[in-house]
Amino acid sequence: MTESIKGLKRTNYCGELRLSDTGKEVTLFGWCQRQRDLGNLIFIDLRDRTGIIQLSFNDTTDREIFSKAQSVRSEYVVAAIGKVCERESKNKEIPTGEIEINVKEFRIISKSQTPPFEIANSKRVGEETTLKYRYLNLRNQKLTQNILMRHKIAKIAREYFYDNDFIEIETPMMIKSTPEGARDYVVPSRVHNGKFYALPQSPQIYKQLCMVAGFDRYIQLARCFRDEDLRADRQPEFTQIDLEMSFVDTEDIMEMAEGFISKLMKDTVGVDIPMPLPRMTFAQAMEKYGSDKPDTRFDMLINDITEWAGKTDFTVFKNAVADGGSVKAIVAKNSASTYTRKKIDKLTEHAKGIGAKGLAYIRWAEDEPSCSFNKFLKNGELDALIAELNAEKGDCVFIISGKTSITQSVLGALRLIIAKELDIIPKGKWNYLWITEMPFFEQDEETGEWVAMHHPFTMPMEECIEYLDTDKGKVRAKAFDLVLNGTELSSGSMRITDCNLQNKMFELLGMEKEEIDAKFGFLVEAYHYASPPHGGMGIGLDRLAMIICGADSLRDVTAFPKVQNASELMSGAPSVIDDIQLKELGINISALEGDNEQ
């Protein structure tokens, strides 16, 4: 039989009590993580969101209470009143390990069936099971602490931006579909039959209109939705710390963000981050790291050996140079013992899978280096390359040739793989980095068309405007990204506020006037009524929490996450709706071949 909590009031959370509280009478609520019955002694590990504390029952305990404690099983919800005492056998693994509660009153509030997995060891269970029973898995102490850390980051963000005169404004969740780079999630309208709302990929247009309206400093912890393929650092719905500022330039926005990062890191992990944060142009990042979100915690930079390669008789290299491409290399120090021929073959397959035609290498495991293309080299050319790269015995050199964008991106990816396999990425480092001078356009490899690298409201640099019609590849944007340990946390930019320039940018992206008016007419119209210069950014709250918590995936910092196919295993979303709802919405569902569901 279960009991009520009538007459009881919590005095403390389990995880906040310490040795200094000895002698204090407390009332605690929580879940039984473990019960140990030693005959004349019973111990219960009581857990709530703050941690675990030990309850003790002994031969001085009332027999009825002792009997109830004997009946308790894992995940029962209980209440306990008792005195804080110093433990005889201390547990240094938990913050409350020096104390226990000598229980004088005890109630079983709710009984639990045997859980499908042990909460404390849920990591050992398949994700399909833990996500199906997500409400149980969230009781796991690590996941609980992750969610609490996410809450703390959100709290710090609000406090910081409120203190800097930002106004929190909620923007609509059901909006007009406007292209922003990913597929929209759409919501059918019952009232406007045949028409659809879109869920916002970001509050971009609305926060710019807040600037036109004169609010000048906007902040929102905004929910965003993108229908795109998922991976470890991506969910279909996510939260960003979204801000916009008027009468500023890029320096003001970046300085404001740096103040937030400084406070955040001090208040969450107790680390002082040197300010200002380092900066690197997009071109420099691609040249040295092969990525626009470089992990700068370790070296292994990309070396350009195009000049050397062009003088060799190796056809693969010579053709790449003749076609206007490049030959680039990375040196993996002390890796020859790890990278056997078999492992290099595996690395080669990976390189081919992401765009390379092959992977050339030098492996220096013995007295003389082994080179995969040595037979094509003249006497002394290998020695010259090794000297140029400062390679030594014990090292491996990996070389990619071809189109420059491919050589950079492939080596950037291999650099990360190799660093993880060699375990050379230092722990406990927080390498924040600004990436600046982003290209405005990027060229589609298949169609050759130029598309906006950021959203189409980004302001090009003034000195690049002359190239809009003649050389799109030279146009750089007043845009910047914030990177932490190789993960992109944020994109930001100054915005276009001139209606003529905005129309021109739409046209350059292949839009006809009718399409511009239909999709963005209200924004362009707003600029006819004068807009202040403004810009902003959105910082990924989920990704920030993931890195600060040391989590492997966004799922570990999201209360109820989706899996790779964008379904939610616990509730079964998405699901079918009944024919009455479909009829009201004017929607007919055509079954796909092989699909038994409506």
Side-chain angles (χ1 to χ4, degrees):
M1 184 176 176
T2 58
E3 303 165 275
S4 77
I5 60 170
K6 187 176 180 180
L8 299 184
K9 193 172 184 65
R10 172 188 268 149
T11 62
N12 297 88
Y13 282 98
C14 298
E16 66 185 22
L17 294 168
R18 296 292 184 272
L19 192 59
S20 58
D21 295 301
T22 300
K24 180 178 179 181
E25 184 169 286
V26 296
T27 301
L28 306 175
F29 300 117
W31 283 258
C32 169
Q33 177 147 303
R34 186 169 62 136
Q35 187 251 44
R36 287 162 289 155
D37 189 343
L38 306 179
N40 63 339
L41 277 175
I42 295 173
F43 296 109
I44 291 175
D45 290 340
L46 186 69
R47 181 190 69 238
D48 64 21
R49 75 184 197 198
T50 63
I52 293 174
I53 196 164
Q54 179 171 282
L55 308 181
S56 69
F57 306 79
N58 54 42
D59 52 11
T60 67
T61 305
D62 180 269
R63 289 299 89 186
E64 184 180 346
I65 290 173
F66 194 90
S67 179
K68 273 195 280 188
Q70 281 182 313
S71 71
V72 169
R73 298 294 177 263
S74 175
E75 300 311 312
Y76 277 26
V77 176
V78 300
I81 299 175
K83 187 176 289 187
V84 180
C85 302
E86 185 173 359
R87 283 174 64 164
E88 289 185 13
S89 178
K90 294 180 172 57
N91 180 358
K92 295 181 180 179
E93 299 299 315
I94 57 174
T96 60
E98 293 183 298
I99 56 173
E100 63 185 12
I101 308 300
N102 192 346
V103 179
K104 73 171 189 178
E105 184 176 344
F106 188 70
R107 299 184 194 179
I108 297 174
I109 309 303
S110 181
K111 294 182 178 181
S112 171
Q113 296 180 16
T114 302
F117 52 85
E118 187 182 354
I119 304 297
N121 294 312
S122 60
K123 270 282 187 185
R124 300 176 183 175
V125 184
E127 201 170 49
E128 187 172 339
T129 300
T130 56
L131 287 176
K132 181 180 178 181
Y133 297 96
R134 184 64 170 181
Y135 46 85
L136 294 180
N137 200 26
L138 285 171
R139 296 180 188 174
N140 177 278
Q141 199 166 7
K142 176 60 178 170
L143 278 181
T144 299
Q145 293 309 309
N146 287 354
I147 298 299
L148 292 176
M149 176 59 79
R150 193 181 189 281
H151 159 74
K152 187 172 185 178
I153 294 169
K155 183 173 182 285
I156 292 167
R158 282 197 164 99
E159 289 173 349
Y160 172 79
F161 288 106
Y162 288 174
D163 288 346
N164 281 280
D165 298 322
F166 282 75
I167 303 162
E168 183 155 10
I169 302 174
E170 290 186 352
T171 53
M173 296 295 281
M174 296 195 300
I175 66 173
K176 183 177 184 175
S177 180
T178 56
E180 285 195 35
R183 294 185 194 91
D184 286 329
Y185 279 102
V186 294
V187 180
S189 170
R190 178 187 60 81
V191 177
H192 304 280
N193 205 261
K195 293 185 178 180
F196 295 81
Y197 300 100
L199 300 181
Q201 294 184 33
S202 76
Q204 186 59 49
I205 295 177
Y206 284 97
K207 69 176 179 176
Q208 289 187 238
L209 291 173
C210 286
M211 300 301 103
V212 176
F215 287 104
D216 91 87
R217 288 192 172 194
Y218 143 97
I219 179 68
Q220 182 180 193
L221 267 61
R223 294 293 285 168
C224 305
F225 306 83
R226 295 178 187 176
D227 185 4
E228 54 189 357
D229 296 334
L230 304 193
R231 52 182 186 236
D233 65 348
R234 184 182 286 171
Q235 281 278 304
E237 50 184 318
F238 58 94
T239 302
Q240 63 185 35
I241 304 165
D242 203 51
L243 61 129
E244 199 80 4
M245 303 170 68
S246 292
F247 306 108
V248 295
D249 58 22
T250 54
E251 295 295 325
D252 298 305
I253 301 167
M254 293 164 80
E255 185 179 332
M256 184 62 66
E258 288 180 345
F260 167 63
I261 294 299
S262 178
K263 177 177 173 57
L264 174 76
M265 298 305 292
K266 185 69 174 175
D267 291 358
T268 55
V269 294
V271 172
D272 288 308
I273 302 294
M275 294 292 168
L277 298 178
R279 300 185 184 189
M280 188 181 298
T281 67
F282 176 88
Q284 289 169 336
M286 294 304 298
E287 182 181 353
K288 290 298 181 185
Y289 294 91
S291 172
D292 59 357
K293 46 182 184 293
D295 191 338
T296 59
R297 290 175 295 173
F298 62 99
D299 291 324
M300 207 191 306
L301 303 186
I302 296 174
N303 298 270
D304 191 333
I305 58 171
T306 306
E307 185 177 348
W308 171 89
K311 296 174 183 177
T312 70
D313 292 330
F314 188 26
T315 307
V316 173
F317 290 171
K318 288 179 73 69
N319 288 346
V321 177
D323 291 339
S326 58
V327 184
K328 295 177 181 283
I330 53 175
V331 180
K333 305 299 291 183
N334 303 310
S335 65
S337 58
T338 300
Y339 280 96
T340 60
R341 178 60 188 272
K342 186 177 180 180
K343 259 206 150 171
I344 292 174
D345 287 344
K346 188 175 179 181
L347 205 61
T348 302
E349 289 306 309
H350 184 85
K352 289 179 178 179
I354 55 176
K357 293 180 179 177
L359 178 66
Y361 67 88
I362 302 167
R363 179 173 178 264
W364 198 344
E366 309 298 335
D367 291 336
E368 296 296 325
S370 171
C371 175
S372 65
F373 52 95
N374 194 44
K375 64 181 179 180
F376 301 103
L377 299 180
K378 296 186 284 289
N379 189 36
E381 286 183 331
L382 181 58
D383 292 337
L385 177 60
I386 288 173
E388 182 179 335
L389 295 173
N390 293 316
E392 303 170 307
K393 185 177 180 180
D395 298 345
C396 286
V397 178
F398 299 104
I399 304 169
I400 298 289
S401 60
K403 190 175 179 180
T404 298
S405 60
I406 297 295
T407 63
Q408 290 175 337
S409 62
V410 172
L411 283 175
L414 295 185
R415 175 180 177 269
L416 291 176
I417 292 169
I418 293 166
K420 288 173 183 175
E421 290 185 340
L422 296 178
D423 195 24
I424 60 171
I425 303 176
K427 306 291 190 294
K429 288 191 75 173
W430 306 93
N431 281 28
Y432 283 92
L433 175 70
W434 288 111
I435 302 296
T436 63
E437 298 187 30
M438 312 291 289
F440 193 98
F441 298 98
E442 59 183 341
Q443 195 168 25
D444 188 286
E445 294 283 347
E446 294 181 4
T447 66
E449 292 181 359
W450 291 93
V451 296
M453 194 165 185
H454 292 262
H455 54 68
F457 320 114
T458 302
M459 182 71 183
M461 291 184 171
E462 282 81 359
E463 64 268 28
C464 297
I465 291 177
E466 63 178 291
Y467 300 118
L468 287 173
D469 292 312
T470 58
D471 191 347
K472 292 184 177 66
K474 282 188 177 181
V475 181
R476 287 168 291 133
K478 282 191 173 182
F480 43 88
D481 285 356
L482 181 60
V483 175
L484 171 58
N485 293 353
T487 296
E488 181 190 317
L489 291 181
S490 170
S491 285
S493 71
M494 293 300 294
R495 322 302 191 189
I496 297 171
T497 56
D498 178 87
C499 55
N500 293 323
L501 180 56
Q502 185 65 79
N503 268 323
K504 183 175 181 63
M505 299 310 298
F506 289 144
E507 290 167 3
L508 289 170
L509 294 169
M511 295 185 194
E512 300 290 341
K513 185 179 186 306
E514 292 75 15
E515 184 182 3
I516 297 169
D517 290 342
K519 292 180 176 177
F520 301 107
F522 65 102
L523 175 65
V524 177
E525 175 72 12
Y527 289 157
H528 284 92
Y529 298 97
S531 170
H534 62 272
M537 61 190 298
I539 304 171
L541 173 58
D542 316 82
R543 290 186 181 182
L544 199 51
M546 180 180 75
I547 299 174
I548 287 176
C549 292
D552 297 324
S553 166
L554 288 182
R555 295 180 194 178
D556 295 334
V557 294
T558 304
F560 300 99
K562 305 290 191 294
V563 294
Q564 194 165 3
N565 65 1
S567 64
E568 195 232 287
L569 299 183
M570 184 192 71
S571 70
S575 61
V576 297
I577 59 175
D578 62 41
D579 291 338
I580 294 173
Q581 289 176 286
L582 290 173
K583 188 175 180 181
E584 286 177 337
L585 295 168
I587 294 176
N588 292 313
I589 302 295
S590 298
L592 297 175
E593 188 176 346
D595 187 356
N596 294 322
E597 292 187 336
Q598 188 180 24

